[in-house]
Amino acid sequence: MLFSKHIDSLAAAGAILAAFWTDANMPVIDRLGDEFLNYVQDGMSIEVKENGVVEVM
């Protein structure tokens, strides 16, 4: 889940609960900025590296 601003508490709680219910980690990154989210288009791939770097291809 990608957020341009701070993550809200409901979305954060959902991501945490999903990790417990499904045993799958979901990357959640906030404060990416509006420019980043405006740049990303349908069909692009997004990879989150282990060090937290977000790469758009």
Side-chain angles (χ1 to χ4, degrees), residues 37-54:
L37 294 184
N38 288 333
Y39 173 78
V40 176
Q41 302 294 316
D42 287 344
M44 290 180 155
S45 297
I46 298 174
E47 182 177 349
V48 180
K49 306 284 186 175
E50 285 189 30
N51 62 359
V53 171
V54 178

Side-chain angles (χ1 to χ4, degrees), residues 3-56:
F3 295 87
S4 62
K5 301 190 181 359
H6 287 280
I7 188 173
D8 61 86
S9 58
L10 184 60
I16 293 167
L17 289 173
F20 283 108
W21 290 337
T22 64
D23 291 325
N25 292 325
M26 176 184 3
V28 177
I29 301 173
D30 67 347
R31 294 182 286 160
L32 288 169
D34 292 329
E35 284 184 28
F36 176 82
L37 294 184
N38 288 333
Y39 173 78
V40 176
Q41 302 294 316
D42 287 344
M44 290 180 155
S45 297
I46 298 174
E47 182 177 349
V48 180
K49 306 284 186 175
E50 285 189 30
N51 62 359
V53 171
V54 178
E55 185 176 297
V56 180

